[in-house]
Amino acid sequence: MGEFFGTDGIRGEAGKYPLDEKTIEWIGYSLAGQLARKLKGSPRIVIGRDTRESGVWIEAAIARGIATSGAQAHFAGIITTPGVAYLTRYLKADAGIVISASHNPYDDNGIKIFAPSGQKLDDATELAIEADLKAGAPSFPLIQPATFEIDRELKAAYVSYLKHEAGAGLNLNGLKIVIDCANGASSDIAPELFSSLGANVTVINASPDGRNINLDCGSLHPELLQKMVLDTGSNMGVAFDGDADRLIMVDDLGNLVDGDQILFVIAQYLSARGELDGARVVATVMSNLGLELALKSSGISLVRTAVGDKNVLDELIKGGGSIGGEQSGHIIFPKISFAGDGLLSAIEVMRVAADSGMTLSQLTAGMKRLPQLIINVKVSSKPPLDSIPEIADSINSLETELSGKGRLLVRYSGTENKLRIMIEGEDQDVIQRQAESLAEIVRRSIN
């Protein structure tokens, strides 16, 4: 992780460094230059964006940088992040650029770059771009004006892929669903897709105005979706975030279904069909212990990674597997795509429901989530926890107390001066006391 590129590309407040126009132009120029040196020829780059108002001028700035380099760009307009990952493969392009800040508020934005495989850009190329940016003006020519047109056929190709390949053989006739598009990139794609597969669709939060993306809606705020599922008597609800790379669902009883439960439902289905490679699922340290226990009872192991869909994907590639993901709703099917895709994940859950004849509440009944609590403690520094006897002793004592019936995770935030305490157990009141006790010891010992 470098100075500009974090675990999910470059992200920050739109208009402020490094997401100001000049720096964005330079990013476009530098990326094209790095690719040209690798390829020993002119690269092709696919570009898409979500519905934030800043996406319009960021797209134009990227276009100027790429055009000045002499590279060829294909503009998909408003499209999901996994849509750009798909188009990069589909067009055999050399890179894909997504202009999005995912689930963040509208005034943030970001630049995420995909390799042709659909994986995120390699570290070496990111570091080379960062070196150019640090060198500044001497590394760049005068950026030239550029014009571009949106190719409407690109989005159509992605929707066609979801319908005819990912959704092959899936008939949703008679299924009533509510779709929350988070006023984001899935606002026209999702209703079209699920209607074309035969579902009776009710759509909410699909009227983007540039500023309402993720605003009290979508996967982070599913309260209205829960109400609408019950009010309309629907079979299920699906909620995406702003760039639709994550999925949160609502079952027929109005209950939330998170990424852990989605992993459970699909893993059970694949296992029963002999299609769960290695009899294992990859998730992160944040996934609920209830997922691990439910999978274990079916003879399926849970492999945990550090937080981040990139870490999940790396483990799926390294160790093999058919499915992995995060509690937040990033689900990855490595045989289909290296990018988490909320629409694809929804298709797969609906396929399980259609093939089994079961409701979503019935499909998730085999997994019981343990009470989980997360406390963030502000710290003035980040010393190794095992170097502070009082903290180390408290952690060891808690882990012994929770052994076999709970779980403790204590780690510093990678981006803030905070220590995160995550604790799971059988009783909410008990884990609340345990977490607060440890948090007080941390405050006293570090600050």
Side-chain angles (χ1 to χ4, degrees):
M1 203 162 64
E3 181 181 332
F4 298 95
F5 287 91
T7 55
D8 213 21
I10 299 172
R11 191 175 295 184
E13 188 174 345
K16 293 187 177 180
Y17 183 81
L19 288 177
D20 57 286
E21 286 197 50
K22 177 58 70 179
T23 307
I24 292 167
E25 290 173 341
W26 286 356
I27 290 169
Y29 181 88
S30 177
L31 171 64
Q34 300 300 334
L35 293 174
R37 280 187 279 279
K38 276 187 182 179
L39 300 166
K40 296 181 171 54
S42 181
R44 299 169 69 217
I45 301 172
V46 182
I47 301 168
R49 64 180 178 88
D50 67 21
T51 56
R52 293 162 216 270
E53 61 182 14
S54 59
V56 178
W57 62 261
I58 292 176
E59 181 182 49
I62 286 270
R64 291 193 293 273
I66 292 174
T68 301
S69 77
Q72 182 182 359
H74 303 268
F75 293 86
I78 294 173
I79 192 170
T80 66
T81 288
V84 173
Y86 167 76
L87 290 172
T88 306
R89 300 193 309 274
Y90 172 74
L91 293 175
K92 296 182 171 61
D94 302 297
I97 297 175
V98 182
I99 301 162
S100 173
S102 190
H103 53 278
N104 286 28
Y106 86 93
D107 44 359
D108 286 346
N109 217 322
I111 296 171
K112 188 186 303 185
I113 307 173
F114 286 103
S117 65
Q119 291 173 272
K120 287 163 190 174
L121 190 66
D122 63 279
D123 292 343
T125 305
E126 286 185 354
L127 290 172
I129 294 171
E130 289 195 0
D132 284 347
L133 296 179
K134 288 174 185 174
S139 295
F140 299 97
L142 181 66
I143 301 296
Q144 300 298 316
T147 58
F148 62 90
E149 291 186 4
I150 304 300
D151 185 347
R152 307 293 175 191
E153 293 184 5
L154 295 181
K155 186 188 291 187
Y158 172 57
V159 175
S160 177
Y161 154 74
L162 288 172
K163 180 182 177 183
H164 298 293
E165 293 186 49
L170 181 60
N171 184 343
L172 300 182
N173 287 342
L175 188 75
K176 289 184 68 176
I177 62 174
V178 183
I179 303 174
D180 185 340
C181 298
N183 293 311
S186 68
S187 291
D188 57 350
I189 296 175
E192 176 187 349
L193 170 66
F194 293 107
S195 294
S196 72
L197 290 171
N200 179 343
V201 172
T202 300
V203 183
I204 60 174
N205 300 312
S207 303
D209 63 9
R211 295 191 170 200
N212 61 359
I213 187 171
N214 299 315
L215 183 62
D216 299 325
C217 61
S219 60
L220 288 181
H221 303 281
E223 297 82 13
L224 177 59
L225 179 63
Q226 290 177 279
K227 181 179 184 300
M228 289 296 293
V229 167
L230 293 175
D231 287 352
T232 58
S234 292
N235 303 103
M236 64 180 69
V238 295
F240 307 108
D241 61 338
D243 66 338
D245 63 352
R246 64 171 66 180
L247 167 73
I248 294 295
M249 302 187 74
V250 173
D251 71 18
D252 46 299
L253 303 178
N255 301 309
L256 280 181
V257 176
D258 66 11
D260 286 345
Q261 292 164 294
I262 292 168
L263 287 173
F264 171 74
V265 168
I266 298 175
Q268 292 275 97
Y269 176 76
L270 293 175
S271 179
R273 296 165 62 92
E275 296 175 0
L276 187 65
D277 287 359
R280 71 182 207 142
V281 171
V282 179
T284 77
V285 292
M286 297 304 292
S287 278
N288 194 279
L289 181 59
L291 171 62
E292 187 172 340
L293 297 175
L295 291 175
K296 186 178 180 180
S297 69
S298 299
I300 302 169
S301 61
L302 182 70
V303 179
R304 293 183 183 271
T305 73
V307 174
D309 60 321
K310 182 181 185 297
N311 296 315
V312 172
L313 176 58
D314 288 347
E315 176 58 34
L316 284 167
I317 293 171
K318 181 179 73 175
S322 305
I323 186 172
E326 296 186 282
Q327 192 179 60
S328 61
H330 282 115
I331 310 294
I332 301 173
F333 304 93
K335 292 183 179 179
I336 303 174
S337 172
F338 285 159
D341 189 332
L343 287 93
L344 174 62
S345 299
I347 285 173
E348 294 303 316
V349 174
M350 291 175 194
R351 187 184 300 281
V352 177
D355 286 357
S356 67
M358 297 171 69
T359 64
L360 189 52
S361 62
Q362 291 170 333
L363 289 169
T364 57
M367 179 189 152
K368 180 185 176 186
R369 277 183 293 195
L370 269 69
Q372 186 184 76
L373 180 70
I374 299 174
I375 292 181
N376 293 315
V377 184
K378 289 184 178 180
V379 293
S380 55
S381 60
K382 298 180 181 180
L385 296 175
D386 58 7
S387 70
I388 305 171
E390 192 178 7
I391 294 178
D393 289 347
S394 180
I395 289 174
N396 290 334
S397 175
L398 256 180
E399 286 177 337
T400 300
E401 195 175 334
L402 290 165
S403 181
K405 54 185 179 181
R407 197 165 62 96
L408 174 68
L409 177 67
V410 184
R411 67 182 183 93
Y412 290 114
S413 166
T415 56
E416 301 172 276
N417 284 332
K418 289 181 179 178
L419 180 82
R420 303 199 196 285
I421 299 170
M422 189 280 288
I423 189 167
E424 293 172 341
E426 297 172 323
D427 185 282
Q428 186 74 39
D429 292 337
V430 171
I431 65 172
Q432 182 86 37
R433 288 196 301 272
Q434 291 169 329
E436 288 176 353
S437 174
L438 178 55
E440 184 54 39
I441 291 170
V442 170
R443 292 186 190 99
R444 193 167 62 238
S445 302
I446 295 182
N447 298 328

